[in-house]
Amino acid sequence: MAGFKAFKESVRRLLLDPAWEDRLEELTQLPLKKALGPLFSFFCDANPVIKWRAVTAFGTVVKAMAAQNMEAARVAVRRLMWSLNEESGAIGWGAPEAMAECMAQNAALAQEYHRMLISYAQEPEGCDGNYLEHVPLLRGVYWGLARLAEVNPKLVRKAMPALWAGLDQDDPQIRGLAIWALGLLGDQQAINALQAHRGDAREIDVFRNRTLQRITLDELAREALQRISAG
């Protein structure tokens, strides 16, 4: 136990290092399965910087796993999915975000698991489905859809109904993430809906370009509209 605590603390120090991005390669030189344990635990860290950097690092480690053993990478993603299952007894903090980061960093995993990520944001017509009603988890899904849209928009276009529904959510975080994603997808039909968010001064925190940013819905809407106009 003492060994694990020391190892976990060393990973934490790496994530807090100003040069943390340059040091991510260090994690891939470790036994990869061992490296995932501390990162998984950091998804619910009180420090949001630790949480988000752990998400990025998790994707980096799983990408390295996939290069060595694709099945091991699948197991890591399925572990995240299991944490979102009620039967697991866990809450799944950070799991949708980490799933998306794994898919953003590995196209094969994206092909296999993007539908599952989308299903977490889709309200089922009947009783069955994977929709995550808990708002903090749903925020993670919407962030994940936007993150995946940055690198593979074609896959995320299947989530268009969920993204449109996100614009009607009471939660400003979900609204902002849906705006971001729709801008990335270049959805011309979303222009009027995005225009309606011009002037909305509510602020949200968004992790983009590996940086935690404070931004208003107005700024996100203007950015999305500009991207759509640019084609």
Side-chain angles (χ1 to χ4, degrees):
M1 181 64 71
F4 176 77
K5 287 182 178 180
F7 177 63
K8 181 178 177 180
E9 185 56 33
S10 70
V11 175
R12 184 183 183 85
R13 287 195 300 270
L14 184 152
L15 296 178
L16 286 172
D17 190 326
W20 70 280
E21 289 183 83
D22 296 330
R23 297 187 61 193
L24 287 177
E25 186 68 22
E26 294 178 28
L27 294 175
T28 66
Q29 305 306 312
L30 300 169
L32 297 176
K33 186 175 180 181
K34 178 181 178 181
L36 291 182
L39 297 174
F40 194 88
S41 70
F42 291 144
F43 294 164
C44 56
D45 197 275
N47 183 342
V49 171
I50 289 288
K51 176 261 178 89
W52 284 110
R53 291 180 180 181
V55 165
T56 300
F58 194 96
T60 300
V61 173
V62 170
K63 177 184 177 180
M65 293 181 80
Q68 296 180 9
N69 183 339
M70 192 62 183
E71 186 55 32
R74 293 187 183 103
V75 169
V77 174
R78 288 197 291 265
R79 178 185 178 188
L80 297 170
M81 291 165 53
W82 173 246
S83 73
L84 292 167
N85 190 314
E86 290 183 0
E87 296 178 6
S88 73
I91 298 179
W93 299 124
E97 297 95 317
M99 283 179 62
E101 187 62 32
C102 292
M103 289 187 272
Q105 294 202 40
N106 185 279
L109 291 174
Q111 287 290 340
E112 290 189 40
Y113 294 107
H114 71 279
R115 292 181 182 82
M116 181 59 69
L117 181 67
I118 293 170
S119 73
Y120 293 136
Q122 291 179 327
E123 295 193 54
E125 295 182 2
C127 297
D128 296 327
N130 298 311
Y131 181 68
L132 297 176
E133 295 183 0
H134 191 43
V135 170
L137 291 178
L138 194 56
R139 290 172 181 166
V141 177
Y142 276 87
W143 180 89
L145 293 173
R147 175 70 180 103
L148 186 55
E150 288 186 307
V151 297
N152 203 330
K154 182 178 179 180
L155 295 182
V156 183
R157 288 195 178 97
K158 300 171 186 178
M160 203 71 77
L163 294 174
W164 275 84
L167 296 179
D168 294 326
Q169 287 275 350
D170 293 333
D171 183 69
Q173 188 81 23
I174 291 177
R175 283 195 182 214
L177 293 169
I179 290 170
W180 176 28
L182 288 167
L184 290 167
L185 296 179
D187 183 8
Q188 293 280 342
Q189 294 182 338
I191 288 177
N192 289 339
L194 295 174
Q195 287 281 8
H197 288 84
R198 292 276 299 271
D200 192 330
R202 287 178 292 178
E203 293 183 322
I204 64 171
D205 293 319
V206 183
F207 188 72
R208 302 193 299 176
N209 301 318
R210 297 186 173 180
T211 303
L212 193 59
Q213 306 170 4
R214 190 75 172 168
I215 191 169
T216 66
L217 297 192
D218 170 71
E219 290 171 313
L220 284 167
R222 289 173 184 270
E223 177 188 285
L225 288 165
Q226 183 177 16
R227 182 182 290 271
I228 292 171
S229 297

